[in-house]
Structures are given as C-alpha cells and as structure tokens.
Amino acid sequence: MLPYTAYLRVYQPLTAFPSAERAYWLEYAESPERPRRAGAVAAEHRESLRRLVAAPPRPAPEEESGDAYVRRMGGRTYICPWQTRLRSWLGLREFRTDTPAALSPAYLPEAVARSAEDAFRRWRDRGEPLRTHILGSNWTVPLPWFAPFTAEERCLVLDGGADPAAEREEAGPAGAAGAPRRTAPRVLLYVTEASLARERLERAVAALQENIGDGPLLAAAEHLEDWLAGVAHPDALLELDYGGLVHLLDDERLREDESAAEISAAVAGLERGEDELAVAMYRRAAQRWKSVRALERAN
C-alpha cells in the first residue's frame, strides 16, 4: 500500500451480512477502540510497512483483518471491510504479473513470494470469494471512477476544517450528542448510493459503446461496472476517496478539481452528439490527472 493512493470503496448495510458477521460488525461499529476514519488509512499503511520491512518480509498477513471503515447515513450503519489479506494477495499477484522476473526478487525473495502465492491458492481453492470492497489506484484516479458520481456529491475539506465524513461516521447511537468535533487535515471525496452509481455507469458504458467503441477507456468502464454489480448490495453506498493524493495537490488545485462534473459533461456530450464538448471535457480531466501521475517520476 503506497501513501499516494486513491480508493473506491463499497459500504454495505448491516443487513447485507450473514447474521454472525452482522453481529460482529454491529459491535465493531459501536466500539470506541476501533480505528476512526481520520487514522484508518494511515493505520493500514503502517501495518503494511511493518510486514514489508520484517525479516523475512510478509507480503500478506496471516489472518484476515477484522477492521472496517464505518459510515452512518439516514439512520443506517454501513460497513466497508478492509480485507487486508485478500487485497495483499491480489496486489502481490498484480506485482508479479507486471514486474519482470529478473527484477522481482530485488523487492521480494522468491521463496517468500511463492509461499504467499501457495497460501492464496489454497484459500481460493476453498471457494472463497475474490471480490474486494475496496479498489486502489496509485498516483492517479482512473477517469471511469468519476462516472458514478455527480458534482453535488463532492466533499472537500482543507487543512483544519471540520471533517463531515468523520462526523457522519460518528453520528450514530453511540455518539451523536456531545460528540467531539473532528477535524481532517485534507479530504476530497464523493459518496453516492450504489443504485445511482450503477445507473450512471450504465449510461457511460452505453455512450462509449455507441460513440467510441472498443478501447482501454471502454474496457475500464465495463470492468468497473462488473465489479460494482458483483460486490454491492442494492442499498450499498459507493465512495471515491482521493486518499493520499490530496497531499500532491495544493488548496487551489483541489478547489478547482471538478473531475466528476467534467466526466459527467463528457458523457452527456456523447449522448447528445456534441463531440466537441465531450472531447473538451474529457481532455480537461485527462490532462489534470496526467500531470498528477507525472509526479511519480519527479525528482
């Protein structure tokens, strides 16, 4: 897990879980000891670093995480399990696929990697689900990730401001009255209902199929549509969190970032046959994220 990572998270309502899991997550959501939102990403990052700097390194934890992100909206509690072990396994598989075999041992000893892959294979052969509730993207936000959201669902908090995401998290039976006002250093996120997200993604995919055709953009949008359909309960929430990427952008650039509005305008332009508008909106968003991604290779 890298510090400059954005996340797409599905929060399931408690009713989506089997009874035993539901009881566990209900107790977890009420616990004053669980990691709160402001420190959860940092806690995940610290845990992954401890494993990777161990001797020998441990690419995946021995047991699945019992932690989750928690949201409370409309009087309901929503849970997004961390699934750290599964996400680590999938990340290792992606790393091994994308990294030349001659270079891979420089990052992770071959015996350690094979041991982790064997553990993943045994787990997978038991028929365990491979869908994660969290997608991550290093150094950029893929443009299809904005298609499920509208500009009105954007939440920006700059240094020292009140964190509405944390306040929604805490606004439950355990602590609405008199709860401390939490602050967040920097946050930019979008939240919407999964049912609305799927409708918007369906529109975007249809517009791309009709006007653009096969290509990386359509493939990415279809992959996202498939993931959301496979993992999200009908009453789930979808959240796009810029995560550590907010530390790569100053306040002015964050205020001016209207990527979801631009992608929405590009889709609408395709639907209406306004090609110039569609291209202009897409290029504006693409150039913004191209410049952010270029920081990965900056000195």
Side-chain angles (χ1 to χ4, degrees):
M1 180 182 297
L2 294 176
Y4 301 122
T5 303
Y7 302 94
L8 201 59
R9 304 187 184 104
V10 168
Y11 289 76
Q12 309 282 26
L14 281 172
T15 53
F17 296 93
S19 57
E21 288 186 57
R22 189 183 314 151
Y24 171 83
W25 288 125
L26 178 59
E27 181 179 358
Y28 177 88
E30 300 300 328
S31 171
E33 304 301 324
R34 65 175 172 85
R36 259 40 186 185
R37 178 184 181 85
V41 171
E44 280 198 275
H45 186 231
R46 287 194 299 270
E47 192 274 337
S48 66
L49 284 178
R50 282 194 296 267
R51 286 189 285 105
L52 292 177
V53 300
R58 294 180 292 120
E62 295 298 321
E63 302 292 338
E64 186 54 276
S65 173
D67 287 309
Y69 292 93
V70 177
R71 274 190 169 276
R72 290 188 173 98
M73 293 181 65
R76 303 182 72 179
T77 298
Y78 297 84
I79 300 293
C80 177
W82 285 7
Q83 296 176 287
T84 307
R85 194 182 193 208
L86 175 56
R87 289 163 58 208
S88 297
W89 275 332
L90 295 175
L92 174 62
R93 185 174 65 178
E94 182 179 353
F95 168 78
R96 299 270 283 174
T97 299
D98 296 343
T99 305
L103 294 179
S104 181
Y107 297 95
L108 192 67
E110 186 67 18
V112 171
R114 288 185 177 178
S115 177
E117 289 175 343
D118 289 342
F120 180 36
R121 189 178 302 109
R122 290 192 298 270
W123 184 88
R124 185 185 59 200
D125 290 346
R126 297 203 305 263
E128 300 287 353
L130 297 180
R131 298 274 187 174
T132 67
H133 293 78
I134 303 175
L135 300 181
S137 174
N138 299 328
W139 294 99
T140 190
V141 179
L143 295 186
W145 285 19
F146 293 105
F149 304 96
T150 66
E152 293 72 25
E153 293 160 346
R154 176 177 181 265
C155 170
L156 172 63
V157 178
L158 299 177
D159 293 326
D163 183 357
E167 291 175 357
R168 282 195 294 270
E169 176 185 343
E170 303 308 326
R181 182 177 178 83
R182 293 181 177 268
T183 61
R186 299 171 79 75
V187 175
L188 200 165
L189 55 80
Y190 294 82
V191 182
T192 192
E193 298 173 12
S195 57
L196 293 176
R198 292 182 64 181
E199 290 176 7
R200 294 163 185 162
L201 265 176
E202 184 178 347
R203 279 185 55 203
V205 168
L208 289 170
Q209 288 173 336
E210 183 174 349
N211 297 277
I212 305 298
D214 292 340
L217 189 59
L218 175 59
E222 289 177 331
H223 176 75
L224 183 59
E225 185 181 32
D226 177 69
W227 171 74
L228 190 57
V231 75
H233 183 277
D235 295 329
L237 303 176
L238 181 67
E239 173 189 85
L240 168 55
D241 181 359
Y242 278 34
L245 298 187
V246 296
H247 303 301
L248 299 175
L249 304 166
D250 61 26
D251 289 0
E252 182 178 0
R253 291 184 71 185
L254 287 173
R255 290 191 187 97
E256 293 176 349
D257 182 343
E258 294 288 353
S259 298
E262 291 158 0
I263 295 303
S264 179
V267 171
L270 288 177
E271 291 175 326
R272 296 193 298 262
E274 299 175 358
D275 295 346
E276 290 186 4
L277 172 65
V279 170
M281 291 295 99
Y282 174 80
R283 284 181 174 172
R284 182 184 297 180
Q287 183 57 44
R288 175 183 301 112
W289 290 104
K290 181 180 179 181
S291 66
V292 175
R293 183 152 202 165
L295 296 174
E296 180 179 9
R297 295 174 175 82
N299 291 328

